[in-house]
PDB file of all heavy atoms in Angstrom:
ATOM      1  N   PHE J  39      81.151 115.033  82.763  1.00 57.00           N
ATOM      2  CA  PHE J  39      79.827 114.544  83.160  1.00 57.00           C
ATOM      3  C   PHE J  39      79.444 113.252  82.425  1.00 57.00           C
ATOM      4  O   PHE J  39      78.905 112.337  83.007  1.00 57.00           O
ATOM      5  CB  PHE J  39      78.769 115.628  82.912  1.00 57.00           C
ATOM      6  CG  PHE J  39      77.387 115.197  83.108  1.00 57.00           C
ATOM      7  CD1 PHE J  39      76.775 115.211  84.341  1.00 57.00           C
ATOM      8  CD2 PHE J  39      76.605 114.718  82.035  1.00 57.00           C
ATOM      9  CE1 PHE J  39      75.467 114.787  84.535  1.00 57.00           C
ATOM     10  CE2 PHE J  39      75.300 114.306  82.223  1.00 57.00           C
ATOM     11  CZ  PHE J  39      74.744 114.357  83.474  1.00 57.00           C
ATOM     12  N   ASN J 100      46.347 108.337  74.483  1.00 92.00           N
ATOM     13  CA  ASN J 100      45.216 107.487  74.838  1.00 92.00           C
ATOM     14  C   ASN J 100      44.720 106.754  73.613  1.00 92.00           C
ATOM     15  O   ASN J 100      44.036 105.707  73.698  1.00 92.00           O
ATOM     16  CB  ASN J 100      44.125 108.315  75.480  1.00 92.00           C
ATOM     17  CG  ASN J 100      43.170 107.486  76.304  1.00 92.00           C
ATOM     18  OD1 ASN J 100      43.558 106.475  76.884  1.00 92.00           O
ATOM     19  ND2 ASN J 100      41.937 107.913  76.376  1.00 92.00           N
ATOM     20  N   SER J 184      44.004 101.662  97.191  1.00 96.00           N
ATOM     21  CA  SER J 184      43.529 102.872  96.515  1.00 96.00           C
ATOM     22  C   SER J 184      42.656 102.544  95.322  1.00 96.00           C
ATOM     23  O   SER J 184      41.601 103.150  95.111  1.00 96.00           O
ATOM     24  CB  SER J 184      44.696 103.771  96.072  1.00 96.00           C
ATOM     25  OG  SER J 184      45.457 104.172  97.195  1.00 96.00           O
TER      26      SER J 184
END
Side-chain angles (χ1 to χ4, degrees):
F39 172 85
N100 202 29
S184 299

